């Protein structure tokens, strides 16, 4: 297979709030807006951004747990919206999720062995012997002793439970694992162990990852590429090294400046981001980051910046740092309204 494993085109998700029985217009949460990216086989794409910026909604759209308002998710050039039930089931088999809180996502009454072999048993019957062998193999893959297979989740540490969540995701040999804040609840030392496990797995079995985190510092060593999201949109998409060495979008710059840096040789950037994240129900006009941006100019209040491809292969949505020379200024509908109203 040559093309990307997964391609996302202009994905948008609005959640309407309430039924709007009497009101003409229902307020909507603009959770995800015009998000496009692709993931190659064996690649790790990280999605980072502050809480509420739409990361988990992107994951849910990819799994088709929610339907997009507009835009498409393509696997092998096929829109998952047109898949029949059995094809969607097959796609979900190729794509597995690991969640932040393994405790609530693991059945507390099942043993570790039952938990990690369950996905396979949803597809085929296993004999006792096969089940034991599979459980042992999966536990070894995630660095745990096969003796752990009889333990209950409550008898395991947080790190072990997260290893179990990963073992369960690996059970069906997926081509892609989506890890949504998979290490966020863990202590820093355990975090590093789990990140190393993911790196090892990728090197050994060439699995692709979409690694989602609100914490930019955890993605530095595991990502091939990083998409930085702000209020539902990707503002910068770059190779991991390039992003950390030379952030272009002022928001990326601020996130890196705010992240704890264990490397004293790295230059500290300008002041970290100021102020609160605005509401996705009524996002600011133009570039949604403009009220918090120290570099904002007039155009930033009016036009939504497009992700502009740059010479080094990254893409940046910023009128100041990545001026869009191909396209003339086009005021967005909201900006026009607020300008005429004001
Ligand atoms: P993140 O994972 O980056 O923290 P989410 O994707 O969970 O962000 O949420 C993005 C935005 O969408 C948030 O403002 C959140 O409150 C809103 N949201 C998420 N799910 C729903 C839903 N089912 N109904 C209404 N709003 C939602
Ligand atoms: Mg989330």
């Amino acid at each position: 297979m040559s093309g990307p494993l997964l391609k996302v085109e202009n994905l948008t998700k609005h959640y309407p709030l309430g039924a709007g029985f009497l009101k003409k217009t229902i307020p909507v949460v603009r959770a995800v807006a015009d998000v496009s990216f692709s993931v190659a086989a064996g690649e790790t794409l990280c999605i980072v951004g502050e809480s509420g910026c739409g990361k988990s909604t992107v994951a849910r759209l990819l799994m088709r747990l929610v339907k997009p308002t507009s835009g498409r998710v393509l696997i092998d050039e096929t829109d998952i919206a047109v898949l029949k039930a059995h094809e969607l089931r097959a796609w979900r088999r190729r794509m597995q999720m690991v969640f932040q809180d393994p405790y609530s996502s693991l059945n507390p009454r099942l043993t570790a062995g039952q938990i990690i072999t369950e996905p396979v048993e949803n597809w085929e019957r296993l004999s006792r012997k096969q089940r034991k062998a599979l459980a042992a193999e999966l536990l070894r893959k995630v660095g745990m002793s096969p003796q752990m297979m009889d333990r209950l989740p409550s008898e395991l540490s947080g790190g072990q439970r997260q290893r179990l969540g990963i073992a369960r995701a690996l059970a069906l040999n997926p081509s892609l694992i989506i890890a949504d804040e998979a290490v966020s609840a863990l202590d820093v030392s355990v975090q590093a162990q789990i990140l190393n496990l993911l790196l090892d797995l990728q090197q050994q079995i060439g699995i692709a990852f979409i690694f989602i985190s609100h914490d930019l510092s955890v993605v530095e060593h595991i990502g091939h590429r990083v998409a930085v999201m702000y209020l539902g949109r990707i503002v910068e998409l770059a190779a991991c090294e390039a992003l950390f060495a030379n952030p272009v979008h002022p928001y990326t710059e601020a996130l890196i400046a705010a992240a704890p840096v264990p490397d004293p040789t790295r230059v500290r950037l300008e002041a970290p981001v100021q102020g609160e994240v605005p509401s996705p129900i009524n996002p600011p006009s133009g570039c949604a980051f403009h009220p918090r941006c120290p570099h904002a100019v007039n155009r930033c209040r009016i036009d939504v910046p497009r992700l502009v491809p740059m010479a080094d292969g990254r893409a940046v949505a910023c009128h100041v740092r990545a001026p869009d020379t191909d396209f003339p200024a086009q005021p967005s509908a909201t900006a026009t309204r607020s300008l005429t109203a004001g």
Side-chain angles (χ1 to χ4, degrees), residues 55-56 180-181:
K55 305 179 296 295
S56 295
D180 190 356
E181 304 279 7

PDB file of all heavy atoms in Angstrom, residues 55-56 180-181, ligand 2:
ATOM      1  N   LYS A  55      -9.287  17.855  20.600  1.00  0.00           N
ATOM      2  CA  LYS A  55      -8.454  16.674  20.321  1.00  0.00           C
ATOM      3  C   LYS A  55      -9.266  15.378  20.400  1.00  0.00           C
ATOM      4  O   LYS A  55      -9.208  14.546  19.501  1.00  0.00           O
ATOM      5  CB  LYS A  55      -7.272  16.607  21.314  1.00  0.00           C
ATOM      6  CG  LYS A  55      -6.423  17.870  21.356  1.00  0.00           C
ATOM      7  CD  LYS A  55      -5.301  17.770  22.362  1.00  0.00           C
ATOM      8  CE  LYS A  55      -5.705  17.639  23.808  1.00  0.00           C
ATOM      9  NZ  LYS A  55      -6.414  18.812  24.371  1.00  0.00           N
ATOM     10  N   SER A  56     -10.012  15.216  21.497  1.00  0.00           N
ATOM     11  CA  SER A  56     -10.778  13.970  21.652  1.00  0.00           C
ATOM     12  C   SER A  56     -11.886  13.874  20.614  1.00  0.00           C
ATOM     13  O   SER A  56     -12.234  12.778  20.171  1.00  0.00           O
ATOM     14  CB  SER A  56     -11.382  13.876  23.056  1.00  0.00           C
ATOM     15  OG  SER A  56     -10.357  13.774  24.005  1.00  0.00           O
ATOM     16  N   ASP A 180      -5.309   8.579  23.519  1.00  0.00           N
ATOM     17  CA  ASP A 180      -5.852   9.882  23.922  1.00  0.00           C
ATOM     18  C   ASP A 180      -5.482  10.178  25.372  1.00  0.00           C
ATOM     19  O   ASP A 180      -6.050   9.600  26.283  1.00  0.00           O
ATOM     20  CB  ASP A 180      -7.374   9.886  23.734  1.00  0.00           C
ATOM     21  CG  ASP A 180      -7.976  11.283  23.888  1.00  0.00           C
ATOM     22  OD1 ASP A 180      -7.215  12.232  24.215  1.00  0.00           O
ATOM     23  OD2 ASP A 180      -9.199  11.431  23.696  1.00  0.00           O
ATOM     24  N   GLU A 181      -4.520  11.056  25.569  1.00  0.00           N
ATOM     25  CA  GLU A 181      -4.018  11.411  26.908  1.00  0.00           C
ATOM     26  C   GLU A 181      -3.603  10.158  27.671  1.00  0.00           C
ATOM     27  O   GLU A 181      -3.812  10.037  28.876  1.00  0.00           O
ATOM     28  CB  GLU A 181      -5.080  12.175  27.718  1.00  0.00           C
ATOM     29  CG  GLU A 181      -5.619  13.437  27.041  1.00  0.00           C
ATOM     30  CD  GLU A 181      -4.723  14.667  27.195  1.00  0.00           C
ATOM     31  OE1 GLU A 181      -3.586  14.534  27.717  1.00  0.00           O
ATOM     32  OE2 GLU A 181      -5.153  15.753  26.770  1.00  0.00           O
TER      33      GLU A 181
HETATM   34 MG1  LIG B   2      -9.681  15.120  25.458  1.00  0.00          MG
END
